[in-house]
Amino acid sequence: MKLLTASALAGAAALALMASAGAASAQDVAVTANIAVTSDYVFRGFSQSNEDPAVQGGVDVPVGSSFYAGVWASNVDFGDNTEAEIDVYGGFRGETKGYSWDVGLITYLYAPGANQDYDYVELKAAGSRAIGPVTAGAAIYFSPDFFGADKAATYAELNASYATPVTGLSVSGAVGEQWLSVSDDYATWNLGATYAFAGTPLSLDVRYTDTDVDNPAIPISDGRVFATVKATF
């Protein structure tokens, strides 16, 4: 039931953003949409779906040469009546002297009837550089009033990807640290492979993730392998 509810919310959010972009269609705005099914929705090393599958979807709208906006949704399970996460985001991205950069803002909303302390906003700054088949990057996120009980929180990440000689196959990974004002800080990392099926909008990502949280009472932070099938249009 929760999968259906979140799927409907994702679709509604996507349709709403597509409608808002309709007025700009005369300017040839390249709207893209995506929908995915994952065996576990993992965010910064923690399962957001209580280790169960999730249905996800979103829409991205570029405006002009550098501004972008989008919305994305997924079902979640925090052990209460919260059923869905809806992210609304926007920002600017570009390239300077071979370095790609992205600065923006993400609003995380939880519904229906979620504890309003869950809702929060993050500021994002990211950069990367491609050298041959390897792309390396870094990102930092800051929230003045983070999810749940925490106030100020910062997340920093180093990431890299490698486009293998096999057409459509890439390998990627990341290492990050989450600093929290009330809860304990922790580190997280992931490593996986993504295969884009030629001639189709489909891709498959299989990934291992873990954290340094050592607490039997928090199994959602344990190491796990999860798989995601995604279609982008």
Side-chain angles (χ1 to χ4, degrees), residues 23-201:
S25 59
Q27 303 176 15
D28 297 324
V29 174
V31 178
T32 60
N34 63 83
I35 186 168
V37 177
T38 183
S39 61
D40 192 352
Y41 171 23
V42 179
F43 179 71
R44 297 178 187 170
F46 280 69
S47 173
Q48 306 294 288
S49 55
N50 199 25
E51 304 180 84
D52 286 331
V55 176
Q56 305 170 335
V59 175
D60 292 282
V61 181
V63 181
S65 60
S66 60
F67 179 73
Y68 67 90
V71 63
W72 180 89
S74 175
N75 62 285
V76 297
D77 184 356
F78 301 147
D80 55 18
N81 63 346
T82 309
E83 294 189 357
E85 172 189 332
I86 302 171
D87 301 344
V88 181
Y89 52 87
F92 294 86
R93 62 167 64 106
E95 185 174 321
T96 304
K97 295 184 178 180
Y99 290 88
S100 297
W101 52 267
D102 182 347
V103 292
L105 183 145
I106 309 166
T107 300
Y108 301 82
L109 304 171
Y110 297 88
N115 180 341
Q116 292 306 303
D117 287 340
Y118 289 168
D119 296 349
Y120 67 101
V121 173
E122 278 190 329
L123 300 174
K124 168 191 176 182
S128 64
R129 177 70 183 265
I131 303 176
V134 177
T135 299
I140 188 166
Y141 299 77
F142 172 76
S143 175
D145 189 9
F146 194 62
F147 177 90
D150 288 284
K151 297 300 180 183
T154 302
Y155 176 75
E157 178 183 280
L158 297 175
N159 52 68
S161 64
Y162 169 65
T164 74
V166 178
T167 302
L169 180 64
S170 62
V171 178
S172 61
V175 177
E177 179 79 15
Q178 179 76 69
W179 291 277
L180 301 164
S181 58
V182 176
S183 306
D184 292 336
D185 303 338
Y186 71 93
T188 180
W189 54 91
N190 68 77
L191 179 65
T194 304
Y195 183 76
F197 295 89
T200 78

